[in-house]
Amino acid sequence: MATASYDHTVVIYNTSTPLVEVDDDDVLDDTDDPALAGQPSLRYTEVHRIKVDSNPEAILFHPKSTALLYTLRSSHLLYYVNLDSWEIKTKSFNPHPMDTHVSFSVLNMALHPSGKLIAFQTGDNRGTAGERILFYGTEVEETDRLGCIWTGAEGDDFVMPRMDWLPDGTGLM
């Protein structure tokens, strides 16, 4: 588990309670986590804390690798934390590697069901063009933007647009 906080930290946790066997009767439905259904007293212990320069906005575990991805309010970068070594690598959202201008913030990330693509929802564009959803490969070395959807939705101080992939990966909602 990980948290992103307005105190400028990203904190990563591990379970500190041993998991127990779960009886099928304890699981409520297909969306219920069997470990939590059978163990409501499950607890977590902090294993690593990352102090960042501004508010972290979005975090995402990549289930097919040992990485946590996060974005910051005042940064043009996507941050990759290796969960084995705690090494942090970055990838720029700007097309040119020397461009460090921050023209938007990434407020939400959604991993495609294939694990090969991430959708990034932008915010803070106060113009009339609306927010965007950007598409990139999951690896830090994959720097090319694969696509962009202009949503037409305008964000404000009270609306935080969110999106996610359809379960079969054929679209976003």
Side-chain angles (χ1 to χ4, degrees):
M1 181 171 76
T3 59
S5 175
Y6 286 113
D7 68 354
H8 296 194
T9 60
V10 174
V11 183
I12 302 164
Y13 302 87
N14 267 339
T15 56
S16 59
T17 308
L19 296 177
V20 295
E21 291 293 321
V22 177
D23 187 345
D24 286 342
D25 295 335
D26 292 332
V27 178
L28 300 176
D29 58 34
D30 291 340
T31 64
D32 199 10
D33 184 334
L36 295 176
Q39 194 165 346
S41 62
L42 186 62
R43 298 292 178 258
Y44 296 90
T45 303
E46 180 181 324
V47 292
H48 191 70
R49 180 178 292 260
I50 302 165
K51 184 74 173 151
V52 295
D53 295 331
S54 64
N55 291 338
E57 286 296 335
I59 58 176
L60 174 72
F61 281 105
H62 190 302
K64 296 184 182 348
S65 71
T66 58
L68 173 73
L69 288 62
Y70 67 90
T71 63
L72 300 178
R73 170 67 65 162
S74 64
S75 178
H76 67 289
L77 300 172
L78 173 62
Y79 297 83
Y80 288 76
V81 180
N82 182 310
L83 298 176
D84 294 324
S85 67
W86 305 121
E87 176 187 15
I88 298 175
K89 293 183 178 181
T90 60
K91 172 167 52 177
S92 178
F93 286 108
N94 294 334
H96 191 279
M98 301 304 286
D99 181 2
T100 61
H101 179 72
V102 180
S103 59
F104 60 86
S105 293
V106 171
L107 303 180
N108 188 29
M109 294 186 276
L111 182 67
H112 187 270
S114 71
K116 297 178 182 180
L117 182 70
I118 303 175
F120 297 89
Q121 188 161 12
T122 67
D124 294 344
N125 292 325
R126 298 293 186 200
T128 57
E131 309 303 348
R132 298 177 291 167
I133 299 175
L134 310 175
F135 300 94
Y136 286 87
T138 57
E139 302 304 319
V140 70
E141 297 81 18
E142 298 175 90
T143 57
D144 291 337
R145 184 179 297 168
L146 303 174
C148 175
I149 297 174
W150 289 91
T151 66
E154 292 184 34
D156 61 30
D157 293 336
F158 304 103
V159 175
M160 296 287 285
R162 296 290 184 241
M163 50 83 201
D164 203 357
W165 291 97
L166 294 172
D168 64 0
T170 58
L172 290 162
M173 58 181 167

